Amino acid sequence: MKTFSVSHKTVIVVDHCPYMAESSRQQIECDMLTKSRAQGVIPLAPVSKSLWTCAVECSMEYLRILYDIYPARKLDMSAHRDILACTVLQVNYIVSDSEFHILNSWRQEDQSVQELMSALAAVGPPNPREDPECCSILHGLVAAVESLCKITEYQHESRTTLMDMAERVANRGRIICLTNAKSDTHVRMLEDCVLETIQEQNKLAAGSDRLMPIQQCELVLVHIYPQGDDTLVSDRPKKEISSVLNSEVHSVRAGRHLASKLNVLVQQHFDLASTTITNIPMKEEQHANTSANYDVELLHHRDAHIEFIKSGMHSIFVFDQCIPDCVCTGDLHMAGSTSRDSGLKETVTLKWCTPRTNSVELHYCTGAFRISPVDVNSRPSSCLTNFLLNGRSVLLEQPRKSGSKVISHMLSCHGGEIFLHTLNSTRSTLEDPPSISEGCGGRVTDYRITDFGEFMRENRLTPFPDMPVDAAGRAPFERAKAQLERHTRYWPMIISQTTIFNMQAVVPLANLIVKDSMTEDDLLTCQKTVYNLVDMERKNDPLPISTVGSRGKGPKRDEQYRIMWNELETLVKTHVGTSERHQQVLECISACRSKPPEEEERKKRGRKREDKEDKTEKNGKESEEKGWAPDSERLKGAIEREKEEQSESEVIKDSPDSPEPFNKKPRLATEELLSLEKSKGPVSLLSLWTSRITQANSRKHQEFAGRINSVNNKAELYQHLKDENGMDVHENGKATR
Amino acid sequence: MPTVVLMDASLSMTRPVSLEGSEEFQRKNLAVHGLTMLFEHMATNYRLEFTALVVFSSLWELMVPFTRDYNTLQEALNNLEDYDKTCLESALQGVSNIVQQEWGSTCPCQVVLVTDGALGIGRGSLRHSLATMKQRGEDKKFPLPFPFPSKLYIMCISNAEELQATDAMDNLEQLLTLSGGEGHIFTMDGPLCLKSVQAMFGKLIDQAYTPFHAVLRCGNLASDVQVFPRPEPVLLDDEVDPVPKAVLTELEIVGFIEIGDIASPPVLSRHLVLPIAVNKEADEVGAGTTDDMEEDTSTNQMAGKSPNFCVLLHGSLKVEGMVALVQLGPDWYGMLYSQADSKKKSNLMMSLFEPGPEPLPWLGKISQLGPISDALENPYGEDDSKSPFPVQPKNKRSYAQNVTVWIKASGLQTDVQKILRNARKLPEKTQTFYKELNRLRKAALAFGFWELLKCVAELLERECTLLPDSAHPDAAFQLSHAAQQLKLASTGDSQYAAFEHNITPMLTDFSGGGGGADRM
């Protein structure tokens, strides 16, 4: 596939000389209604189009189909292949009389039937009184060649993009000339003139930046003559005039014949094919409760039939039953080709298929091709197109003589454009794949599916056609990626990995903190969220902490809050660099999060203890008198546990049910424990374990110097103060409690 | 991409290979050895590939139809018999039929031809086939190129020198060109032995059967994945951009779109996205200790139990009915979605769009899709009742804009009748009357069809004379006004025949102070 094929540039040259004002002699009765109502009214004479009118309306029809199927597209370096079949095709329209009139340019905005209609109206019909000697189609043909040399926006863009490979951008084109020639000799004269002009222009173009030499040109001469006349020009198939120029001649009667000729040409020139949708149920205006079946013929890129074309060849090969009629359609009768208009046209018949499909189904679709109805204004056509334009889709099935029904196509509308989709109807090579639940991560059952769904909704895309880049120079899709990055900085995938995302109370903060910029209000909301959490903690509200994986009831309440706060801090910390306000959220959390007065202290102690533990471990083997070689892993776990339990024991220390400590080692017999000892009660497993661990740990750290030197388990603190101002020892001791 | 192994079972394959001191091998044994290696590789690393085994001599036979059961293939390979002479053309025809019957004509396929390079003699030999290719009718065409996209790998159980001594190499090269040029001819280096056949098949595996591994990313969430079948490079335009585009090994999600909005887009190909556990430590250590196997199974079990982003993504895409837009390379995109098969097994699937900045017209340019949070108001509406898609094209298509086409007489007659019908219902239908009149006027002016304007003017004048006594007085005024305007236009006078000009209703005492005109 080439982007810059002959079809990239088309110049239509229409003869505007006086003889084109001649009547086509095809009469049209306009005065239709008189038959039913009039008595004594003489019907008006029928009208007939001039050769000019025929040429113009048929060329407009050619363009209508072309622009429907290959609409003007915004400038970009996209070379689309066959699945959407949209190459960039451009048309230049020229009329020729005593001089040439170029009605549009290669520019994208000029590529529309409306623009051309307006320009044609300004030109008007040929003036029969103009001097025929000054008028010639040659002016137009010369202008056409010159126009082909002019570089299009696409060619320019491609050349600029390719830089030193600019020579890869080709310049080919086609000239369609609608004229009334005098004779075959006249036709040859026109061809020679075009060839000469190409050679001249190519020389000129070689030295210019805005011009390109023509590598290949296809000249399509259409000789139009009035009905009833004999043609003076003979048809001639494509022939090579020179290496740059091919030429073909079509001699056609004006009117209907010209229309169908140009319809055939537009199909040939732009690789189109025809599909007839059959069995379309349509309500009759008169009888609303009955419906008749109609057929509508559509044109589209021929790749929509690729499967038929190939299976046609296939049948010839496989079954070796080559019946001449079957060559194009294959033996499957799916293509149901019917030849009409004296064998010029072929169409594939597909059947309207009910029930319709719904829009939330994702079909495996191998191509989508814009369509154009052949008879755009007919009632069946407009019924079908309106039905589709309203957003509904229709599946199409291959008419088969027997066997199962095969749905091979779908008609569907996207944004005011109707597409013929090709659906895959053969066996899939991906059948019977292993289910996702059998693979990695397939056994995990508590994914945050709903949360990620919510995440996806927040990260849906929307077009920003008018905002190519933002202040930071990022295109919209880069901003979308940046947002995904921000939203996933801390995103636990499973429910049991997270606390905060299972809490409704955290939602406002979690939604705001991922934003690129926060307003003052956002900050306030975040702070409120934090205060709310503090409040919850004060009220001792339960937290949705997962108990998966941990034995028993899981961590205790204040430990839960500690986990929650930690997680919240982790989340906010990942965004702290985004802005000042993000930073403030973190500060708010740090300031508010629960740290019971003892906790800080305990943490420090814990840390020291761990340090010591490390040291002890190193000497562990030497210190045999301790007799208990610790399994370091288990010990770490135990320490963690001990920390938790220690806090637990602090919480319940005033309770009357507080257990008696199990072990009363003198070294550990603090006043606290002594006081507990007084309250009698059953010894719980917890206290047994606690004291055991405390005992184990106590062996592994150096005793506090004060305690070693203590008298009666009481150490004197701030002894130096006493020396200075003679404070009471006993009082100091109390103060420490 | 299914594979057909086309194995030469002609007598020449039984030629012994001269080896010093060891037991005697036939070329067939070497071929079987190589294929065994290929099958083993596929069974472990490429097990979703469908493979068929065809053997041929003067006839061909489908030994194993397309299957993923590599044991069956291996078994058939081990029980090969020897037949007569080589006749490649009919075998290729057979391959063409088998593939099309199974997969249709659009599914790309790989053909691995294993032969000794003795390509037959006389009628039915490859030389003869190639020589007579151009003198055949439609019904006896040479089977290459296949109707389906294909790659042809020719594995020669002989070395290059041997092939070049005859014209075998030339013929095979011609065959490869005929098939469309995609593929490769492999020959054996050095003496014909097990080692060199292994080396040759090793090259084939490297070229055609290495699994495609990538990282799927969504912001900071990521998963290692295998994409199957491996995505093939795509050639866009052989003239402007002759370098094929390949999918990157970093697949980055751009954002999400509803299934209804993406609306069954056309795709180049579909692929399974399978999460894989990459055990980097094992790769580094790789000491091959005895308990390697045990570790492997435990790694697999661990992998099943540790959360994977693909599974999360798949689950949410399925529940929400959405797709993820994923970037495959510069200006190349695809979509990820959940695909369920008939057995209720579902999977994460990736479809590749056409490379280019705007693969789907109804999404617009992908680079211009941004996060909804950037929009002033949520384009989906607060209750998800709206959608920013499809993007509307700048110009309407002909079937959406009431164009005027008079190619068939009926088209013109319908338009004239519409005017007359409305003319008889004046002044109620003043607006429609003038709307239709102006439409006709514009088209007639563009087509240079002034005669029609005169004709319609006369028709209107006559309607005016035929008005019943009960008619509203305004009707007569409007009809003669319209007729007069059309006549003026038909003179081509630039004042009245301007395309952009519209005939407006005449202001009369009856028309309510020109309200009708205002509304025009």
Side-chain angles (χ1 to χ4, degrees):
Chain A
M1 176 75 194
K2 293 176 174 66
T3 313
F4 300 109
S5 66
V6 175
S7 304
H8 176 58
K9 287 166 141 177
T10 304
V11 187
I12 296 180
V13 185
V14 186
D15 200 336
H16 194 248
C17 297
Y19 48 79
M20 289 298 281
E22 201 181 320
S23 165
S24 69
R25 294 189 217 136
Q26 188 186 8
Q27 299 193 328
I28 306 160
E29 198 72 63
C30 281
D31 202 4
M32 300 281 288
L33 288 183
T34 44
K35 282 164 200 154
S36 56
R37 61 199 291 263
Q39 312 89 359
V41 178
I42 305 152
L44 294 176
V47 291
S48 82
K49 297 171 186 168
S50 63
L51 293 182
W52 164 257
T53 301
C54 290
V56 166
E57 71 174 1
C58 290
S59 60
M60 282 296 131
E61 180 67 2
Y62 180 100
L63 292 180
R64 178 188 70 78
I65 292 166
L66 175 61
Y67 288 142
D68 270 358
I69 295 174
Y70 300 94
R73 292 157 44 76
K74 274 174 246 116
L75 195 62
D76 56 45
M77 252 303 284
S78 65
H80 282 270
R81 296 193 320 157
D82 48 356
I83 65 168
L84 262 165
C86 41
T87 356
V88 188
L89 306 177
Q90 288 171 308
V91 179
N92 204 192
Y93 204 99
I94 296 174
V95 298
S96 176
D97 42 42
S98 59
E99 53 184 356
F100 62 85
H101 309 267
I102 300 180
L103 301 192
N104 70 343
S105 73
W106 293 124
R107 298 186 328 150
Q108 262 326 311
E109 50 270 37
D110 279 3
Q111 302 295 315
S112 102
V113 171
Q114 284 306 311
E115 295 292 316
L116 282 173
M117 293 274 271
S118 168
L120 280 167
V123 170
N127 180 0
R129 279 175 296 282
E130 206 167 350
D131 178 9
E133 289 306 308
C134 333
C135 295
S136 167
I137 186 71
L138 281 175
H139 301 295
L141 284 174
V142 170
V145 173
E146 286 171 6
S147 181
L148 283 182
C149 284
K150 282 183 197 145
I151 192 164
T152 64
E153 282 168 305
Y154 285 89
Q155 288 176 320
H156 179 67
E157 185 79 356
S158 303
R159 293 210 316 179
T160 324
T161 316
L162 288 170
M163 303 281 282
D164 46 339
M165 251 92 83
E167 74 281 356
R168 282 187 192 159
V169 178
N171 190 33
R172 309 186 178 96
R174 181 182 288 125
I175 301 173
I176 301 171
C177 177
L178 303 174
T179 184
N180 178 287
K182 307 278 174 294
S183 62
D184 285 346
T185 331
H186 186 208
V187 165
R188 251 185 304 285
M189 189 272 283
L190 296 178
E191 286 170 344
D192 290 345
C193 164
V194 170
L195 180 60
E196 240 168 71
T197 319
I198 291 176
Q199 285 159 349
E200 275 167 33
Q201 287 296 317
N202 278 0
K203 274 181 212 150
L204 264 178
S208 165
D209 254 4
R210 302 302 299 179
L211 298 178
M212 282 174 85
I214 299 168
Q215 276 142 317
Q216 197 191 339
C217 177
E218 231 177 80
L219 178 64
V220 183
L221 275 167
V222 183
H223 165 66
I224 309 169
Y225 60 96
Q227 302 221 344
D229 279 12
D230 285 332
T231 178
L232 301 169
V233 175
S234 41
D235 264 10
R236 204 193 60 210
K238 193 187 281 185
K239 147 183 149 182
E240 195 179 286
I241 307 275
S242 88
S243 58
V244 285
L245 183 67
N246 288 320
S247 166
E248 61 192 271
V249 183
H250 302 273
S251 179
V252 209
R253 262 172 297 173
R256 198 161 52 82
H257 301 279
L258 178 63
S260 56
K261 170 58 76 181
L262 281 182
N263 187 286
V264 169
L265 287 179
V266 76
Q267 294 190 48
Q268 280 174 7
H269 292 167
F270 300 104
D271 297 329
L272 306 185
S274 150
T275 296
T276 301
I277 318 296
T278 186
N279 271 9
I280 305 174
M282 204 166 65
K283 291 246 174 348
E284 294 278 14
E285 228 167 304
Q286 275 82 22
H287 322 279
N289 43 6
T290 64
S291 67
N293 288 341
Y294 289 92
D295 292 2
V296 171
E297 187 185 350
L298 306 174
L299 292 181
H300 49 77
H301 195 276
R302 66 159 172 234
D303 278 356
H305 290 163
I306 195 151
E307 186 79 31
F308 301 142
I309 297 166
K310 287 190 166 165
S311 40
M313 289 162 63
H314 165 61
S315 73
I316 292 161
F317 282 124
V318 178
F319 302 100
D320 206 7
Q321 339 167 294
C322 183
I323 309 157
D325 292 354
C326 244
V327 172
C328 302
T329 56
D331 63 308
L332 298 168
H333 299 285
M334 60 173 84
S337 160
T338 49
S339 292
R340 294 180 300 167
D341 288 359
S342 61
L344 287 171
K345 208 186 258 176
E346 297 231 330
T347 187
V348 165
T349 306
L350 293 173
K351 230 165 79 184
W352 173 284
C353 183
T354 31
R356 301 193 304 261
T357 171
N358 66 31
S359 66
V360 292
E361 204 177 333
L362 204 55
H363 295 275
Y364 176 25
C365 163
T366 50
F369 308 91
R370 289 186 176 84
I371 60 104
S372 184
V374 170
D375 201 356
V376 68
N377 278 344
S378 76
R379 227 172 73 79
S381 289
S382 58
C383 272
L384 175 66
T385 51
N386 285 334
F387 178 85
L388 295 165
L389 286 170
N390 285 333
R392 281 171 284 194
S393 302
V394 187
L395 293 173
L396 303 172
E397 87 179 76
Q398 300 169 357
R400 288 196 164 184
K401 282 191 175 157
S402 60
S404 59
K405 103 178 183 183
V406 175
I407 291 173
S408 59
H409 291 77
M410 177 176 76
L411 273 173
S412 187
C413 172
H414 310 285
E417 290 186 288
I418 299 171
F419 291 81
L420 181 62
H421 292 246
T422 49
L423 304 178
N424 183 61
S425 48
T426 52
R427 185 180 169 193
S428 161
T429 53
L430 296 179
E431 70 184 25
D432 201 17
S435 172
I436 192 142
S437 59
E438 292 160 22
C440 291
R443 297 298 184 79
V444 181
T445 50
D446 65 336
Y447 284 107
R448 293 170 58 204
I449 300 284
T450 319
D451 291 348
F452 198 72
E454 188 54 39
F455 167 89
M456 295 194 314
R457 303 197 151 274
E458 283 160 15
N459 285 285
R460 275 182 292 185
L461 298 167
T462 190
F464 291 93
D466 310 319
M467 191 169 50
V469 290
D470 67 356
R474 294 179 304 176
F477 86 118
E478 283 163 344
R479 296 203 299 275
K481 284 190 203 165
Q483 175 166 308
L484 286 176
E485 190 279 321
R486 283 200 312 277
H487 283 210
T488 53
R489 283 187 196 161
Y490 179 70
W491 214 97
M493 289 196 279
I494 55 174
I495 294 167
S496 52
Q497 266 175 356
T498 178
T499 305
I500 55 171
F501 292 112
N502 299 331
M503 293 168 66
Q504 205 54 45
V506 182
V507 170
L509 184 143
N511 284 346
L512 291 171
I513 199 75
V514 295
K515 283 173 68 173
D516 207 7
S517 65
M518 273 166 94
T519 63
E520 198 56 41
D521 279 352
D522 292 343
L523 177 59
L524 276 177
T525 314
C526 287
Q527 286 166 338
K528 261 186 220 157
T529 309
V530 176
Y531 300 151
N532 187 24
L533 293 174
V534 172
D535 205 37
M536 281 171 66
E537 185 171 23
R538 198 176 44 78
K539 286 191 280 187
N540 227 3
D541 286 348
L543 290 183
I545 293 227
S546 165
T547 52
V548 179
S550 62
R551 249 170 281 146
K553 285 181 194 164
K556 290 290 180 271
R557 188 76 31 99
D558 68 332
E559 175 62 11
Q560 292 180 356
Y561 273 94
R562 200 180 61 79
I563 293 170
M564 185 277 288
W565 284 117
N566 282 346
E567 197 185 358
L568 193 62
E569 256 181 15
T570 311
L571 168 69
V572 175
K573 268 180 189 157
T574 60
H575 295 279
V576 90
T578 315
S579 78
E580 187 65 27
R581 292 200 176 101
H582 289 81
Q583 173 73 37
Q584 280 171 292
V585 177
L586 181 64
E587 282 162 11
C588 171
I589 294 173
S590 311
C592 295
R593 70 170 290 180
S594 67
K595 285 189 180 113
E598 310 95 310
E599 196 190 49
E600 284 290 293
E601 194 61 26
R602 195 161 45 83
K603 263 195 179 166
K604 278 182 202 157
R605 258 193 282 150
R607 226 172 284 136
K608 272 186 200 155
R609 197 161 26 194
E610 271 162 282
D611 290 346
K612 297 249 174 70
E613 179 201 319
D614 284 347
K615 281 178 200 157
T616 347
E617 242 179 278
K618 278 174 204 158
N619 316 334
K621 299 216 165 100
E622 297 158 31
S623 49
E624 280 179 4
E625 79 269 16
K626 285 174 185 148
W628 189 57
D631 174 350
S632 75
E633 274 307 307
R634 256 174 56 195
L635 190 70
K636 267 182 201 157
I639 287 167
E640 284 297 316
R641 193 66 67 88
E642 178 249 355
K643 271 198 240 162
E644 287 161 20
E645 262 134 40
Q646 193 173 344
S647 60
E648 175 70 7
S649 71
E650 277 167 11
V651 171
I652 58 167
K653 68 184 170 192
D654 292 333
S655 143
D657 292 339
S658 293
E660 201 173 11
F662 170 65
N663 196 324
K664 298 175 283 177
K665 265 225 144 184
R667 276 198 302 195
L668 282 173
T670 57
E671 283 189 7
E672 190 179 301
L673 286 172
L674 283 171
S675 72
L676 282 172
E677 196 190 6
K678 282 170 200 154
S679 59
K680 299 285 179 194
V683 179
S684 74
L685 189 60
L686 172 70
S687 52
L688 283 173
W689 177 249
T690 311
S691 44
R692 186 192 155 139
I693 290 299
T694 322
Q695 190 185 354
N697 285 336
S698 67
R699 292 203 201 112
K700 285 182 282 154
H701 61 77
Q702 265 182 17
E703 191 48 279
F704 175 47
R707 203 173 277 147
I708 292 171
N709 301 329
S710 65
V711 180
N712 201 14
N713 228 350
K714 280 181 186 172
E716 194 174 344
L717 295 178
Y718 307 111
Q719 291 186 351
H720 60 287
L721 291 175
K722 186 186 161 193
D723 296 338
E724 280 158 34
N725 43 28
M727 258 171 118
D728 189 54
V729 180
H730 198 71
E731 247 178 37
N732 273 335
K734 267 183 184 169
T736 55
R737 279 194 70 200
Chain B
M1 224 188 331
T3 295
V4 183
V5 173
L6 182 56
M7 171 81 174
D8 188 344
S10 65
L11 215 51
S12 63
M13 287 290 280
T14 61
R15 281 182 289 165
V17 179
S18 50
L19 277 181
E20 288 155 28
S22 64
E23 69 173 298
E24 195 175 84
F25 280 117
Q26 297 176 351
R27 294 195 190 226
K28 189 177 91 170
N29 301 131
L30 292 181
V32 168
H33 182 74
L35 283 173
T36 304
M37 179 180 159
L38 176 65
F39 289 159
E40 274 170 8
H41 170 81
M42 285 159 102
T44 41
N45 300 308
Y46 220 68
R47 65 198 160 86
L48 293 174
E49 176 90 344
F50 280 100
T51 303
L53 178 63
V54 177
V55 299
F56 75 102
S57 55
S58 64
L59 301 169
W60 60 269
E61 186 185 353
L62 175 61
M63 300 293 283
V64 184
F66 285 101
T67 180
R68 286 171 177 157
D69 181 356
Y70 285 93
N71 291 331
T72 314
L73 285 163
Q74 186 60 49
E75 212 169 291
L77 198 61
N78 294 339
N79 298 320
L80 283 187
E81 289 177 37
D82 306 322
Y83 298 95
D84 56 349
K85 62 172 189 169
T86 312
C87 179
L88 199 50
E89 180 173 346
S90 61
L92 290 171
Q93 187 59 65
V95 169
S96 179
N97 297 351
I98 291 165
V99 171
Q100 287 189 85
Q101 272 166 17
E102 196 79 43
W103 311 107
S105 52
T106 44
C107 175
C109 214
Q110 317 198 74
V111 178
V112 178
L113 166 63
V114 186
T115 177
D116 58 349
L119 301 164
I121 39 165
R123 258 184 102 77
S125 70
L126 182 61
R127 189 186 302 116
H128 181 260
S129 295
L130 294 173
T132 57
M133 238 179 62
K134 284 185 181 143
Q135 303 131 31
R136 309 190 199 191
E138 271 293 302
D139 53 330
K140 288 279 180 204
K141 267 177 38 184
F142 193 69
L144 291 184
F146 292 121
F148 46 88
S150 64
K151 290 191 179 179
L152 179 61
Y153 297 105
I154 303 173
M155 314 301 292
C156 298
I157 310 297
S158 63
N159 49 40
E161 298 76 43
E162 199 180 338
L163 293 171
Q164 275 149 2
T166 64
D167 59 353
M169 195 51 153
D170 293 341
N171 287 333
L172 289 176
E173 275 168 4
Q174 212 180 328
L175 195 68
L176 187 63
T177 318
L178 269 177
S179 80
E182 290 238 55
H184 199 83
I185 300 173
F186 293 93
T187 55
M188 288 166 68
D189 293 330
L192 304 186
C193 61
L194 290 178
K195 216 173 131 192
S196 54
V197 84
Q198 274 174 12
M200 179 171 73
F201 274 86
K203 281 187 217 155
L204 170 70
I205 288 169
D206 286 347
Q207 190 172 336
Y209 295 100
T210 41
F212 184 89
H213 289 172
V215 181
L216 176 64
R217 248 179 235 295
C218 173
N220 294 296
L221 298 168
S223 168
D224 292 298
V225 295
Q226 181 186 349
V227 179
F228 182 90
R230 51 180 220 183
E232 297 296 326
V234 172
L235 184 65
L236 282 180
D237 182 323
D238 46 17
E239 196 171 78
V240 176
D241 190 9
V243 185
K245 282 191 152 201
V247 172
L248 296 179
T249 52
E250 184 98 345
L251 309 171
E252 197 177 7
I253 291 177
V254 177
F256 302 87
I257 294 178
E258 313 266 347
I259 284 183
D261 288 337
I262 201 109
S264 299
V267 299
L268 285 177
S269 54
R270 293 193 308 172
H271 308 265
L272 287 167
V273 177
L274 308 161
I276 47 170
V278 176
N279 197 343
K280 283 179 185 133
E281 283 169 39
D283 283 351
E284 280 160 23
V285 179
T289 48
T290 44
D291 51 13
D292 248 14
M293 282 300 285
E294 281 168 41
E295 265 176 36
D296 257 17
T297 46
S298 74
T299 334
N300 284 344
Q301 280 170 0
M302 287 288 282
K305 282 176 187 162
S306 61
N308 189 292
F309 172 59
C310 282
V311 187
L312 172 69
L313 176 69
H314 168 266
S316 299
L317 289 174
K318 187 175 181 175
V319 171
E320 299 287 337
M322 290 172 99
V323 306
L325 202 63
V326 60
Q327 181 161 20
L328 312 168
D331 270 345
W332 195 6
Y333 303 90
M335 63 173 176
L336 290 160
Y337 53 97
S338 160
Q339 170 85 23
D341 75 355
S342 50
K343 291 170 190 156
K344 305 241 164 158
K345 282 182 179 177
S346 79
N347 243 300
L348 190 61
M349 197 83 112
M350 180 166 76
S351 287
L352 312 189
F353 300 146
E354 188 97 328
E358 194 182 340
L360 308 172
W362 51 96
L363 294 190
K365 274 191 194 170
I366 302 289
S367 62
Q368 288 177 351
L369 296 180
I372 49 172
S373 57
D374 279 10
L376 291 177
E377 57 181 278
N378 189 346
Y380 290 91
E382 290 313 314
D383 51 352
D384 268 354
S385 56
K386 297 189 289 183
S387 169
F389 301 107
V391 171
Q392 299 290 331
K394 246 194 323 200
N395 301 315
K396 281 185 174 175
R397 305 282 86 88
S398 70
Y399 44 81
Q401 58 175 345
N402 197 16
V403 291
T404 315
V405 179
W406 291 336
I407 284 186
K408 287 187 179 164
S410 60
L412 177 56
Q413 285 157 350
T414 314
D415 284 348
V416 174
Q417 278 175 42
K418 260 189 220 163
I419 294 174
L420 291 181
R421 244 199 333 268
N422 285 302
R424 285 176 202 130
K425 289 177 190 159
L426 288 172
E428 291 80 26
K429 295 279 184 181
T430 306
Q431 294 218 30
T432 356
F433 171 73
Y434 279 100
K435 193 179 136 209
E436 290 298 331
L437 192 74
N438 280 314
R439 192 163 77 86
L440 177 125
R441 178 185 169 279
K442 272 194 165 51
L445 287 174
F447 297 155
F449 199 0
W450 294 353
E451 197 184 340
L452 178 71
L453 295 175
K454 284 183 204 128
C455 173
V456 175
E458 281 170 38
L459 277 174
L460 293 179
E461 276 169 354
R462 195 181 64 196
E463 277 308 312
C464 194
T465 64
L466 292 174
L467 282 174
D469 297 339
S470 57
H472 194 283
D474 198 27
F477 282 107
Q478 299 298 353
L479 283 176
S480 49
H481 167 67
Q484 191 202 1
Q485 291 290 315
L486 285 185
K487 274 195 175 157
L488 286 169
S490 75
T491 60
D493 185 324
S494 59
Q495 192 187 339
Y496 300 101
F499 185 74
E500 297 309 327
H501 177 75
N502 274 321
I503 303 176
T504 52
M506 188 187 192
L507 294 183
T508 64
D509 295 342
F510 312 102
S511 56
D518 281 353
R519 269 176 270 130
M520 276 305 291

